[in-house]
């Protein structure tokens, strides 16, 4: 590649990566898989290595190892948040003990106590409490020196006390560190929801927890139900003299302490703990990637000190990601309701991390090519921190003679239409939106789904029956169904027929935002549908909105705007909407809930203090109904700080420092009456 071409490609890559980063961390949408994202990063890294003078100073490659996003205020850690050295074997653990003995000048017979804890695979967090026991701040690790203040999100985590109750006075400074995680069960639930919404699935609980902490919408964070386990206490002055006592202190303060911690009297007991959890780890409600071993005595910890990166008194024993070898029996190409075609490997069943694996994700065509996958191949399957198994390699030496390579089909496996590949995207899709059976049935399923039109009794099986009999070809057909038609279906009697018709009838009362979601417009999930309904109180308003106008709405980016435009530009969708309208489906907000104006469109507000005309919730609602956004903390992106009686001093100070306009509630009212 010549320099000119490299420069262009670097720019392109930086733009795309920044875009996906923002979508992931801010808008909470992963438009591409982690794998595809990593590929973009790799390409950028390689180009920057080949042309160092072209590397941009703010290239996303320079952010690796740090989770700072500029979206939250940064805070310097009082004590840096270090990481841990890793070991992978018993031998290395024994060396760790030898190093400690040498360093402390201990003989082989002097006992060393260790505390063993699960190494929870989540996101580290620091919680600062003031001397009155009030939770002041929750800060991410960031780059270890500075982290991001994500307090509003942290406060949604039910197990973190907002106030420490203690009979004795608290130390002047209390900092608690721990890990924020998403349980396996909660992760599964979230992904089921995303599958229903036609959104790409989250890859694993850890990344999802990290992304969730970075959302600018604490309500959404609350909905995701994060958990937290703490494992570290820092106080000034010190109130305990060992780590084990610290854990007990945390427990007395009712902080959620890392479960299954154990005080071990020697390295043999440590090894036993490591072995015990290697087998049992899959039964835990959350994922762990190893064990953390800490020297118990604080005086010894102090003598041992730290290196630039990690303490010498602690180490992580990492479990190898479990893998299994099995045979690739087939590859199926699944067509989703949006037309996206996903390759899925069908495997000879094999035991892995406590479950039987029969299917694995193959991501896309590039991934299949990179593996050089053939039917009948022996493949390596891993579940390293991932709940969805991945094929990570192929043993080409065991390939059966004459094995056929796996090719991505040129035509839709369901309807035969030639597949298309979006330029710059790895995924293929079937463009036969109106004629491809799984797309048609998928849209109807989505429409009937509980959180959409909630048509009870209309699930996958019944929809398939209705489709096969030619009774239903689109969502509007549901409202034309007659009792005699349903009675023809296998298993339907008078009673069940009437029930289904009643359920369909009842769906005409479903409020507009849910109808909008039920239409299944790509990238318009529940949250986006609500936002849209607020700004465009009827489907006609939404249809009339141009791309620019759509993008004025907070949370609506280019991808969503394009997708909405494409939906309305399809004549078939317009016909569907007309038929739904005639059937009596709600296509607008009730008058009293409509947005009052757009005068504050796009402006970002923070409110502080108590108000004369409004409660806290009311003033937020008021701002939102005029098109503004309300954030919980002041940043350079804030446009207005609205102050009432006794506003918070720190918000006021920060706003003044950043030159942000400070207004009263009367001034706000005046702005909206104009
Ligand atoms: S102690 C200076 N204990 O692992 C020691 N860390 O690789 C700081 N982690 O950043 C960490 N479980 O996010 C400690 N029981 C545990 C842990 C734990 C998970 C994470 C933590 C840390 C990373 C280090």
């Amino acid at each position: 590649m010549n320099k000119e071409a490299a420069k262009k490609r670097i720019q392109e890559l930086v733009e795309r990566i920044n875009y996906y980063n923002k979508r992931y961390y801010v808008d909470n949408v992963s438009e591409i898989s982690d794998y595809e994202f990593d590929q973009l990063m790799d390409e950028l890294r390689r180009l920057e290595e080949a042309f160092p003078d072209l590397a941009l100073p703010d290239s996303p490659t320079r952010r690796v190892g740090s989770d700072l996003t500029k979206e939250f205020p940064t805070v310097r850690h009082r004590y840096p948040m270090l990481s841990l050295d890793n070991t992978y074997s018993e031998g290395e653990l024994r060396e760790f003990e030898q190093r400690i003995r040498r360093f402390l000048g201990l003989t082989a017979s002097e006992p060393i106590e260790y505390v063993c804890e699960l190494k929870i695979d989540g996101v580290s967090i620091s919680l600062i409490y003031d001397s009155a026991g009030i939770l002041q701040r929750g800060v991410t690790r960031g780059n270890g020196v500075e982290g991001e203040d994500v307090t509003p999100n942290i406060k949604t985590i039910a197990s973190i006390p907002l106030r420490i109750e203690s009979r004795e006075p608290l130390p002047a400074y209390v900092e608690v560190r721990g890990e924020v995680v998403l349980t396996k069960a909660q992760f599964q639930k979230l992904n089921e929801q995303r599958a229903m919404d036609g959104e790409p699935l989250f890859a694993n609980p850890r990344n999802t927890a990290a992304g969730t902490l970075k959302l600018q919408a604490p309500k959404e964070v609350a909905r995701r139900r994060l958990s937290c386990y703490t494992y570290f206490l820092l106080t000034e002055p010190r109130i305990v003299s060992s780590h084990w006592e610290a854990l007990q202190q945390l427990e007395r303060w009712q902080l959620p302490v890392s479960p299954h911690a154990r005080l071990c009297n020697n390295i043999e007991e440590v090894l036993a703990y490591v072995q015990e959890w290697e087998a049992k780890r899959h039964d835990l409600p959350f994922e762990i990637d190893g064990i953390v071993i800490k020297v118990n005595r604080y005086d010894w910890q102090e003598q041992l000190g730290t290196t630039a990166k990690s303490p010498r008194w602690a180490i992580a024993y990492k479990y190898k990601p479990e893998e299994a070898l099995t045979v690739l029996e087939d590859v199926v190409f699944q067509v989703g309701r949006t037309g996206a075609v996903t390759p899925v490997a069908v495997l000879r069943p094999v035991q892995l991390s406590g479950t039987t694996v029969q299917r694995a994700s193959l991501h896309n065509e590039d991934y299949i090519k990179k593996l050089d996958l053939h039917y009948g191949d022996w493949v390596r399957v891993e579940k390293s921190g991932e709940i969805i198994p991945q094929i990570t390699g192929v043993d080409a030496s065991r390939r059966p003679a004459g094995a056929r390579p796996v090719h991505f089909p040129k035509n839709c496996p369901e309807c035969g239409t030639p597949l298309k590949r979006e330029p710059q995207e790895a995924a293929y899709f079937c463009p036969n939106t109106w004629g491809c059976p799984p797309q048609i049935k998928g849209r109807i399923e989505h429409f009937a789904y509980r959180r959409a039109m909630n048509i009870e009794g209309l699930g996958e099986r019944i929809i398939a029956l209705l489709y096969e009999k030619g009774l239903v070809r689109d969502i509007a057909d549901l409202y034309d169904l007659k009792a005699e038609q349903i009675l023809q279906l296998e298993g339907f009697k008078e009673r069940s027929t009437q029930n289904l018709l009643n359920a369909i009838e009842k769906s005409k009362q479903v409020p507009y935002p849910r109808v909008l979601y039920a239409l299944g417009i790509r990238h318009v999930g529940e949250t986006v549908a609500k936002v849209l309904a607020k700004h465009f109180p009827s489907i006609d308003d939404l249809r009339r909105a141009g791309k620019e106008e759509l993008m004025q709405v907070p949370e609506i980016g280019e991808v969503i705007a394009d997708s909405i435009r494409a939906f309305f530009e399809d004549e078939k969708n317009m016909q569907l909407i007309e038929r739904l309208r005639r059937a009596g489906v709600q296509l607008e907000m009730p008058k009293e809930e409509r947005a009052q104006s757009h005068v504050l469109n796009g402006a970002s507000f923070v409110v502080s203090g108590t108000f004369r005309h409004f409660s806290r919730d009311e003033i937020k609602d008021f701002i939102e109904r005029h098109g503004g956004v309300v954030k919980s903390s002041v940043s350079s992106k804030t446009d207005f700080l609205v102050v009432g009686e006794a506003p918070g001093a720190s918000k006021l100070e920060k706003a003044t420092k950043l030159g942000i306009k400070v207004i009263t509630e009367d001034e706000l009212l005046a702005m909206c009456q104009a």
Side-chain angles (χ1 to χ4, degrees):
M1 192 181 274
N2 68 29
K3 198 158 175 178
E4 227 7 73
K7 188 170 172 188
K8 227 177 122 212
R9 184 65 187 152
I10 287 180
Q11 261 169 7
E12 230 170 67
L13 284 167
V14 168
E15 248 168 57
R16 288 191 64 200
I17 291 169
N18 285 341
Y19 169 77
Y20 290 129
N21 260 334
K22 173 180 172 288
R23 291 290 284 159
Y24 187 81
Y25 287 113
V26 184
D27 307 337
N28 161 36
V29 176
S30 42
E31 284 184 26
I32 56 170
S33 66
D34 284 4
Y35 168 76
E36 290 165 276
F37 183 84
D38 290 345
Q39 298 253 298
L40 296 177
M41 283 292 272
D42 279 350
E43 186 183 346
L44 179 59
R45 230 176 264 125
R46 279 196 308 273
L47 281 172
E48 289 178 345
E49 270 164 28
F51 303 95
D53 53 321
L54 291 183
L56 302 172
D58 57 348
S59 167
T61 55
R62 306 209 171 180
R63 287 218 304 216
V64 183
S66 151
D67 62 14
L68 299 175
T69 57
K70 294 198 201 135
E71 300 294 337
F72 291 92
T74 51
V75 183
R76 216 183 151 78
H77 296 298
R78 183 118 144 196
Y79 303 93
M81 286 181 85
L82 301 175
S83 61
L84 293 170
D85 272 344
N86 294 329
T87 64
Y88 291 89
S89 67
E90 186 185 322
E92 284 174 351
L93 253 188
R94 292 189 187 277
E95 279 166 29
F96 167 69
E97 155 132 325
Q98 289 315 317
R99 273 200 305 278
I100 291 172
R101 287 197 182 279
R102 271 200 309 278
F103 214 101
L104 297 176
L106 300 178
T107 62
S109 59
E110 271 172 284
I112 305 177
E113 276 181 353
Y114 298 97
V115 176
C116 286
E117 290 160 20
L118 304 176
K119 186 168 188 315
I120 299 170
D121 200 10
V123 188
S124 37
I125 192 81
S126 147
L127 308 169
I128 318 276
Y129 287 90
D130 66 14
S131 56
I134 309 291
L135 175 65
Q136 287 288 311
R137 270 205 307 268
V139 185
T140 65
R141 177 172 184 277
N143 56 20
V145 178
E146 283 185 326
E148 281 175 308
D149 184 337
V150 291
T151 312
N153 291 346
I154 288 302
K155 286 186 173 169
T156 70
I157 302 175
S159 58
I160 296 180
L162 300 180
R163 183 203 181 115
I164 295 177
E165 301 282 351
S166 168
R167 254 176 285 143
E168 297 97 59
L170 291 173
Y173 179 78
V174 177
E175 180 178 348
V176 177
R177 290 180 181 176
E179 205 78 353
V180 168
V181 282
L182 206 54
T183 61
K184 295 181 200 168
Q186 192 53 30
F187 173 75
Q188 206 92 32
K189 257 201 206 151
L190 272 180
N191 259 352
E192 275 161 24
Q193 174 72 45
R194 286 178 75 84
M196 283 308 302
D197 292 355
E199 296 280 0
L201 299 188
F202 290 131
N204 59 52
R206 205 208 78 85
N207 288 5
T208 314
T212 302
L213 270 190
K214 295 301 183 73
L215 293 177
Q216 294 281 352
K219 262 194 201 147
E220 173 65 17
V221 178
R223 200 179 68 81
R224 297 206 186 160
R225 299 192 189 283
L226 295 167
S227 312
C228 180
Y229 299 100
T230 61
Y231 46 66
F232 205 60
L233 172 65
L234 278 157
T235 61
E236 283 173 17
R238 212 167 229 187
I239 51 170
V240 289
S241 59
S242 73
H243 183 60
W244 188 246
E245 289 169 41
L247 293 182
Q248 288 170 331
Q249 183 65 67
L250 289 173
E251 237 157 43
R252 275 197 296 278
W253 284 341
Q254 314 234 320
L255 278 134
V257 175
S258 175
H260 310 295
R262 185 184 296 166
L263 182 61
C264 295
N265 292 308
N266 52 53
I267 200 78
E268 301 308 324
E269 289 183 25
V270 169
L271 286 165
Y273 183 93
V274 165
Q275 262 169 28
E276 185 180 324
W277 281 103
E278 167 122 51
K280 287 202 304 199
R281 68 179 157 136
H282 305 299
D283 305 330
L284 288 163
F286 43 77
E287 299 195 323
I288 66 169
D289 57 348
I291 299 298
V292 183
I293 299 122
K294 300 171 182 173
V295 170
N296 188 32
R297 280 172 58 164
Y298 276 173
D299 55 341
W300 283 354
Q301 287 191 4
E302 241 156 53
Q303 281 181 52
L304 287 158
T306 68
T307 68
K309 223 188 94 234
S310 47
R312 289 196 194 85
W313 45 263
I315 201 156
Y317 182 98
K318 297 264 267 197
Y319 293 126
K320 286 203 194 69
E322 276 196 61
E323 55 173 48
L325 284 174
T326 187
V327 175
L328 177 73
E329 297 193 321
D330 196 7
V331 177
V332 291
F333 294 88
Q334 289 178 342
V335 185
R337 94 175 138 83
T338 58
V341 182
T342 349
V344 177
V346 180
L347 305 168
R348 181 177 296 168
V350 63
Q351 282 298 116
L352 180 63
S353 312
T355 52
T356 309
V357 174
Q358 312 199 36
R359 295 196 156 218
S361 165
L362 284 170
H363 305 291
N364 54 46
E365 182 182 36
D366 296 345
Y367 194 73
I368 294 174
K369 278 195 181 142
K370 194 176 146 205
L371 289 170
D372 184 29
L373 200 59
H374 285 58
Y375 292 97
D377 264 344
W378 280 89
V379 292
R380 197 168 52 242
V381 193
E382 256 185 34
K383 257 192 170 177
S384 51
E386 324 252 324
I387 287 207
I388 308 156
Q390 310 281 321
I391 294 193
T392 53
V394 168
D395 184 354
S397 69
R398 293 173 80 178
R399 179 167 293 159
R404 282 180 305 122
V406 176
H407 287 304
F408 213 91
K410 295 269 170 290
N411 294 76
C412 174
E414 301 280 345
C415 73
T417 308
L419 296 180
K420 283 201 175 156
R421 188 170 173 164
E422 213 76 83
Q424 301 278 322
E425 300 251 341
Y428 278 95
F429 68 96
C430 166
N432 183 17
T433 314
W434 301 104
C436 180
Q439 295 188 55
I440 297 171
K441 286 186 274 186
R443 280 194 300 270
I444 302 172
E445 278 164 30
H446 175 75
F447 186 76
Y449 165 55
R450 188 172 49 79
R451 303 183 71 117
M453 301 304 273
N454 191 21
I455 306 179
E456 229 172 289
L458 190 63
E460 197 177 331
R461 196 179 62 86
I462 308 294
I463 290 170
L465 279 176
L466 289 166
Y467 178 83
E468 275 154 33
K469 292 267 185 248
L471 295 174
V472 171
R473 280 283 177 271
D474 57 47
I475 52 177
D477 286 345
L478 293 171
Y479 296 97
D480 296 335
L481 279 175
K482 303 273 175 304
E484 326 62 281
Q485 295 175 315
I486 300 175
L487 269 168
Q488 300 169 22
L489 300 179
E490 193 195 313
F492 272 88
K493 304 243 163 57
E494 289 292 338
R495 174 88 178 262
S496 40
T497 300
Q498 203 46 53
N499 285 347
L500 181 57
L501 284 172
N502 290 347
I504 293 173
E505 188 59 30
K506 205 170 118 200
S507 73
K508 295 178 184 172
Q509 305 308 319
V510 166
Y512 171 57
R514 268 169 57 194
V515 177
L516 193 53
Y517 164 60
L519 290 176
I521 304 172
R522 222 169 152 199
H523 304 302
V524 178
E526 277 181 291
T527 320
V528 172
K530 277 189 203 144
V531 172
L532 285 171
K534 210 172 204 170
H535 285 79
F536 306 99
S538 76
I539 196 105
D540 297 314
D541 293 328
L542 182 61
R543 176 175 54 86
R544 279 192 292 267
K547 180 168 169 180
E548 297 306 314
E549 197 179 344
L550 289 166
M551 284 174 65
Q552 294 272 303
V553 178
E555 303 187 41
I556 308 296
E558 185 157 10
V559 176
I560 300 179
D562 282 340
S563 159
I564 295 170
R565 289 308 319 149
F567 179 86
F568 286 110
E569 270 152 29
D570 189 328
E571 192 48 40
K572 287 252 182 36
N573 283 324
M574 293 312 301
Q575 290 165 6
L576 271 183
I577 288 169
E578 283 322 306
R579 289 172 59 210
L580 292 177
R581 196 194 305 275
R582 262 179 274 137
V585 171
Q586 303 297 313
L587 295 174
E588 56 184 59
M589 291 291 255
K591 291 278 174 291
E592 63 278 12
E593 283 177 37
R594 291 185 171 215
Q596 289 158 344
S597 81
H598 300 289
V599 286
L600 306 180
N601 244 10
S604 168
F605 289 78
V606 174
V607 298
S608 185
T610 48
F611 299 95
R612 275 184 298 125
H613 300 296
F614 304 99
S615 74
R616 262 306 166 97
D617 284 340
E618 282 165 358
I619 195 163
K620 278 189 187 165
D621 198 53
F622 178 82
I623 293 170
E624 285 170 1
R625 268 191 289 141
H626 288 278
V629 225
V630 183
K631 293 277 155 80
S632 54
S633 58
V634 175
S635 77
S636 58
K637 292 194 181 154
T638 311
D639 296 303
F640 298 97
L641 174 66
V642 190
V643 293
E645 202 63 38
S650 64
K651 279 185 181 162
L652 206 52
E653 192 182 315
K654 186 139 191 211
T656 324
K657 212 165 85 195
L658 293 169
I660 287 158
K661 207 156 174 192
V662 180
I663 59 171
T664 63
E665 67 180 304
D666 289 329
E667 284 170 299
L668 175 73
L669 282 166
M671 278 162 84
C672 295
Q673 263 137 28

